[in-house]
Amino acid sequence: MKRTNWLILLLITTSILQSGCQHNHTHHIRITGAFALYPLTVKWAEEYKKAHPDVEFDISAGGAGKGLTDVLAGADDLGMFSRELTPEEAKKGIWKIAVAKDAVLPTINARNPLFKLIQKRGLTKTDFQRIFLSGKSLAWDSILDISSSIPIHVYIRSDASGAAETWAKYLGVKQENLKGVGIYGDPGLADAVIKDIYGVGFNNAIYIYDLQTGKKREGIEVIPIDINNNGKIDAEELFYDDFNQVLQAISDGRYPSPPARPLYFISKGKPQDPDLIAFLKWVLTYGQSFVKSAGYVPLPEETIQSSLQTFNQP
């Protein structure tokens, strides 16, 4: 009798423990990739967990190339991706979905003696091509047609980067064609320009501006793009002083695309995991309410609806 009671007690205890384990089961979503999308993805994860405390996120930035590599290897569930897929990459069965928009902006050290002139004049695409593609030691006299020996120190990305590929696409080339001192990551590239009075580079907008103030980080400035090639920055081309102005220019198309671009989540094949699908649908719906405050441009409604439809397709 005692043995029977002991067995019954053991079965009840085991059942309770199993029930508790099932109730508290944690779902992990692993995400890596583009620096451009990293701050927004972290924000999304924080907000999503408030309503889904059983979901844990493991998020790390390492560049769009790392996101692609890790997804293909099965090391991560999602990759943060900040450029278009090449035909070769698409053939590997990569699935992608747009989740927000941002832009890459050309940068310069704020203490550069010629910045005020550059700010008024702006640089054309041809000017940027001379700076980022020549690989030669340049001075500003070769760009601005002035008598000046002030040098141009060019910094680019050393990692496989969506920002670099997008900036290169604007210049009509590939990332490997960019010439300059290679720096790892978005934060590193911004810091390199800030520390070098003669430095120029490019960054995703989120790494140039302070979200709290809307102003540019101390020590870094944006080189205005002379979009209409008339040798000066007109009123419709001047929107860099405040981050909200930049986001509006990206949204309404005044800032060219590229270097404006959509940002994506990618995976190896269409996601099948219910927890992953639920998160992605949340990103495209309620999650869009956090996009602008995080320093990005929300997707147009037609893009959102089109993306949501992909989950219903075989």
Side-chain angles (χ1 to χ4, degrees):
M1 182 68 180
K2 290 183 178 179
R3 180 177 175 81
T4 302
N5 289 340
W6 181 83
L7 285 172
I8 292 173
L9 180 62
L10 179 63
L11 287 170
I12 292 172
T13 303
T14 302
S15 176
I16 292 172
L17 288 171
Q18 288 177 340
S19 175
C21 289
Q22 290 171 356
H23 181 73
N24 295 315
H25 179 62
T26 300
H27 305 278
H28 284 273
I29 296 178
R30 300 161 299 170
I31 308 174
T32 188
F35 284 91
L37 193 49
Y38 176 75
L40 179 54
T41 302
V42 170
K43 177 65 176 177
W44 276 333
E46 291 172 350
E47 296 297 333
Y48 191 76
K49 276 181 64 63
K50 291 177 181 178
H52 305 83
D54 57 335
V55 179
E56 292 291 337
F57 289 88
D58 182 4
I59 306 168
S60 62
K66 178 170 172 53
L68 178 64
T69 299
D70 288 349
V71 162
L72 285 172
D76 287 293
D77 301 299
L78 294 174
M80 299 176 286
F81 210 63
S82 52
R83 61 172 174 81
E84 298 300 323
L85 290 166
T86 67
E88 293 75 18
E89 291 165 346
K91 289 178 183 176
K92 295 178 181 178
I94 291 296
W95 178 89
K96 70 182 175 80
I97 193 166
V99 292
K101 290 181 67 178
D102 82 337
V104 180
L105 306 178
T107 59
I108 188 170
N109 185 285
R111 295 174 294 124
N112 189 297
L114 296 174
F115 174 65
K116 292 298 182 183
L117 173 61
I118 294 168
Q119 189 178 40
K120 291 179 180 179
R121 180 190 183 280
L123 297 185
T124 64
K125 182 186 293 188
T126 300
D127 294 331
F128 286 119
Q129 288 170 332
R130 290 173 185 164
I131 291 171
F132 284 95
L133 304 183
S134 73
K136 300 175 182 178
S137 296
L138 295 176
W140 281 105
D141 59 352
S142 64
I143 304 297
L144 300 176
D145 296 323
I146 61 172
S147 178
S148 172
S149 60
I150 293 175
I152 304 173
H153 295 170
V154 182
Y155 294 94
I156 60 173
R157 289 281 288 275
S158 62
D159 51 312
S161 155
E165 189 62 40
T166 300
W167 183 243
K169 187 176 181 181
Y170 167 64
L171 301 181
V173 298
K174 300 288 188 181
Q175 177 178 352
E176 53 265 31
N177 301 119
L178 298 177
K179 308 296 183 184
V181 178
I183 305 292
Y184 177 80
D186 245 310
L189 185 49
D191 287 341
V193 172
I194 288 171
K195 291 175 181 176
D196 184 351
I197 191 172
Y198 303 123
V200 298
F202 53 83
N203 275 104
N204 294 299
I206 194 72
Y207 292 94
I208 300 171
Y209 291 86
D210 183 324
L211 274 182
Q212 302 302 316
T213 65
K215 302 304 180 183
K216 291 177 283 289
R217 291 176 55 195
E218 186 175 354
I220 197 167
E221 283 285 354
V222 177
I223 302 175
I225 298 179
D226 179 12
I227 299 168
N228 61 13
N229 301 310
N230 69 347
K232 62 179 181 178
I233 294 299
D234 300 314
E236 63 270 19
E237 298 170 320
L238 188 58
F239 40 73
Y240 301 100
D241 283 344
D242 181 82
F243 196 19
N244 285 328
Q245 293 178 10
V246 174
L247 294 177
Q248 185 59 47
I250 297 168
S251 179
D252 62 30
R254 279 178 294 145
Y255 190 75
S257 179
R261 45 63 190 288
L263 301 173
Y264 301 96
F265 278 145
I266 60 172
S267 65
K268 187 177 181 181
K270 184 179 175 181
Q272 302 297 320
D273 179 70
D275 295 309
L276 195 56
I277 293 172
F279 171 65
L280 289 171
K281 287 184 176 180
W282 179 91
V283 162
L284 290 168
T285 52
Y286 187 69
Q288 290 293 300
S289 65
F290 303 103
V291 171
K292 191 170 183 180
S293 62
Y296 298 78
V297 177
L299 294 175
E301 184 60 29
E302 58 269 25
T303 302
I304 293 173
Q305 293 306 317
S306 176
S307 295
L308 287 170
Q309 284 299 317
T310 64
F311 292 103
N312 301 324
Q313 297 169 357

